[in-house]
Amino acid sequence: MKLRIRILTAAVFFVLAAFCAVEGQNSHPPIIVGYVFPRGAVLKPGQINAHDLDRINYAFASTKGGRLVAGSASDEQNLATLVALKKDKPSLQILISVGGWLGSRDFSDIALTAQSRKIFIDSAMDFLEHNQLDGLDVDWEYPGQAGAGHAHRAEDKQNFTLLLEDLRKRFTQEEMASGHRLYLTIAAEASDDYLAHTEMAKVQDIVDAVNVMAYDFNEAPSHGLTSHQAPLYTDPRSPISDSIDSCVSAYEHAGVPATKLVLGVPFYGRSWERVSSADHGLFQPGRPAARDFIPFAEINGSILGHGFTRYWDAAASVPYLYNENQKIFVSYDDKESLTRKCSYVLSHRLGGVMFWEYFDDPNGTLLGAIVGALHAPEPATH
């Protein structure tokens, strides 16, 4: 009798959770997802402001022998620190993200057969249970593509879907048994190539969110000309046509509803050197600077105003910096551009905003702008 009551209770929970998930696509406010990437360091109490986050994706778990394993020796301790944040914010979701640019080498093999998928999923479930986590973020960079030189196959397109399907089935079984909601999300490239090598119309029906990495559209070696790494719109003068707006349209055209799209924004900048002063360095020849990647905390603290002047590209709705003496150009996001991107999320009814990554702006300047823009009270009507 007790067993039947437990099964019935779990079933009711699952039905209600599914109903709320569907309703949430239309009624819930946009979520804020932050990647936390300690780079092997041990998290300290108070480092993460959980109050302003709905979901934390901890980066990265790794894979070994087809199994999901910790990415560093500090992961278990760090995950416990993050899970402890739920005492003050019970609604906070803690997910483990597996893969990444350098960590996707095994995914093609993992997704290849039903048996290899089961081995991975069994290990993932053990990892989630052991660390008391709320789900998994799959960051395969990228199905059917080499990424950072990883093995890949033409079959990755279908096998990626099968991997996610098998994960969802297992999550559903666990939810029915435990009553604990498990979330399945992916990190997705903002490119036509990614859409061509995946079945996003099927994938979107399986996952809870598609975290679109809408940044690094242009890096210094790509085109030889400076440009914005994460433009909201395409400037007609730009050497690249990619933008957040074109990316969102492409994903929707591929069958992903707006409510499943979580817009990724960068908390860092990209830089070029040997850039001429024409148009303050915008859309000019250049090469990768010695420091191509610059965290926003450094941009805001020791670069902006220290020989670097801020300019605004109205067509693209993003800022950039130029140092005429050093001939250095920096593409980045600030509070103004993120406020505009959040307005875009609201007007296009996207699922929310994701950012990479928390420690590139530990003071919370950009996160505060996102919170203010997404959760601003509606103006009073008379």
Side-chain angles (χ1 to χ4, degrees):
M1 182 67 175
K2 290 183 179 179
L3 178 60
R4 280 190 287 177
I5 291 175
R6 285 180 59 195
I7 294 173
L8 178 61
T9 301
V12 170
F13 169 85
F14 178 72
V15 170
L16 287 174
F19 174 78
C20 291
V22 172
E23 287 296 302
Q25 292 183 10
N26 299 316
S27 61
H28 286 189
I31 64 171
I32 299 176
V33 182
Y35 277 87
V36 171
F37 184 37
R39 297 173 174 84
V42 174
L43 294 179
K44 299 176 182 178
Q47 273 190 292
I48 306 297
N49 174 18
H51 176 74
D52 289 337
L53 294 169
D54 298 300
R55 180 179 299 156
I56 292 174
N57 289 349
Y58 181 86
F60 287 107
S62 187
T63 56
K64 184 177 181 180
R67 293 173 168 82
L68 187 150
V69 298
S72 74
S74 60
D75 284 353
E76 184 170 338
Q77 182 177 349
N78 287 343
L79 288 169
T81 298
L82 294 178
V83 170
L85 297 174
K86 299 174 69 171
K87 294 178 181 178
D88 294 326
K89 187 174 183 180
S91 63
L92 180 67
Q93 302 156 14
I94 310 297
L95 276 61
I96 184 68
S97 183
V98 57
W101 180 247
L102 297 178
S104 295
R105 63 187 178 277
D106 297 330
F107 274 126
S108 185
D109 291 337
I110 286 170
L112 186 59
T113 68
Q115 180 61 23
S116 60
R117 294 192 292 270
K118 183 179 185 302
I119 290 171
F120 173 80
I121 293 169
D122 285 346
S123 66
M125 297 309 303
D126 289 342
F127 193 95
L128 296 182
E129 182 179 1
H130 178 74
N131 292 286
Q132 301 179 11
L133 304 180
D134 300 303
L136 180 68
D137 175 62
V138 178
D139 188 1
W140 181 350
E141 301 187 18
Y142 301 105
Q145 301 179 74
H150 307 312
H152 59 288
R153 299 174 172 88
E155 305 97 293
D156 289 348
K157 181 173 184 174
Q158 290 76 31
N159 290 342
F160 181 45
T161 306
L162 292 173
L163 175 62
L164 296 172
E165 283 181 343
D166 290 353
L167 276 164
R168 174 56 74 193
K169 289 176 184 176
R170 185 65 179 274
F171 277 18
T172 299
Q173 293 172 1
E174 295 297 323
E175 289 171 341
M176 292 287 287
S178 67
H180 179 207
R181 178 81 161 90
L182 292 174
Y183 296 87
L184 178 60
T185 69
I186 61 170
E189 185 186 18
S191 76
D192 291 336
D193 281 344
Y194 184 86
L195 293 175
H197 287 87
T198 54
E199 301 175 298
M200 290 310 299
K202 295 180 180 179
V203 167
Q204 66 81 22
D205 198 40
I206 302 167
V207 300
D208 293 287
V210 177
N211 299 313
V212 182
M213 297 181 286
Y215 35 77
D216 290 342
F217 285 123
N218 188 32
E219 299 178 57
S222 301
H223 303 279
L225 296 178
T226 64
S227 185
H228 306 295
Q229 70 139 334
L232 180 55
Y233 300 104
T234 301
D235 187 321
R237 302 171 297 162
S238 175
I240 60 171
S241 59
D242 295 323
S243 68
I244 287 171
D245 184 55
S246 66
C247 171
V248 168
S249 296
Y251 265 84
E252 291 181 330
H253 183 73
V256 184
T259 52
K260 284 287 181 79
L261 293 173
V262 177
L263 180 65
V265 298
F267 277 16
Y268 61 90
R270 293 287 189 181
S271 61
W272 288 254
E273 65 183 9
R274 297 189 181 182
V275 179
S276 72
S277 60
D279 291 329
H280 310 297
L282 183 60
F283 308 136
Q284 302 302 313
R287 72 174 194 180
R291 292 197 60 213
D292 171 42
F293 180 100
I294 310 176
F296 176 80
E298 183 176 343
I299 291 174
N300 198 42
S302 60
I303 292 180
L304 180 60
H306 297 268
F308 286 82
T309 302
R310 177 189 185 273
Y311 300 95
W312 180 259
D313 184 345
S317 286
V318 285
Y320 61 98
L321 303 174
Y322 184 66
N323 185 312
E324 187 167 359
N325 291 329
Q326 297 181 19
K327 306 300 182 186
I328 294 177
F329 172 94
V330 179
S331 170
Y332 74 116
D333 268 286
D334 62 7
K335 293 194 293 184
E336 181 179 359
S337 61
L338 289 187
T339 297
R340 295 192 181 213
K341 290 180 180 182
C342 288
S343 295
Y344 183 95
V345 167
L346 292 172
S347 64
H348 287 74
R349 301 184 183 278
L350 303 187
V353 171
M354 170 273 286
F355 61 86
W356 179 272
E357 63 90 20
Y358 194 92
F359 293 113
D360 288 338
D361 179 33
N363 294 326
T365 301
L366 298 181
L367 178 55
I370 292 171
V371 172
L374 290 183
H375 299 160
E378 295 182 5
T381 57
H382 300 283

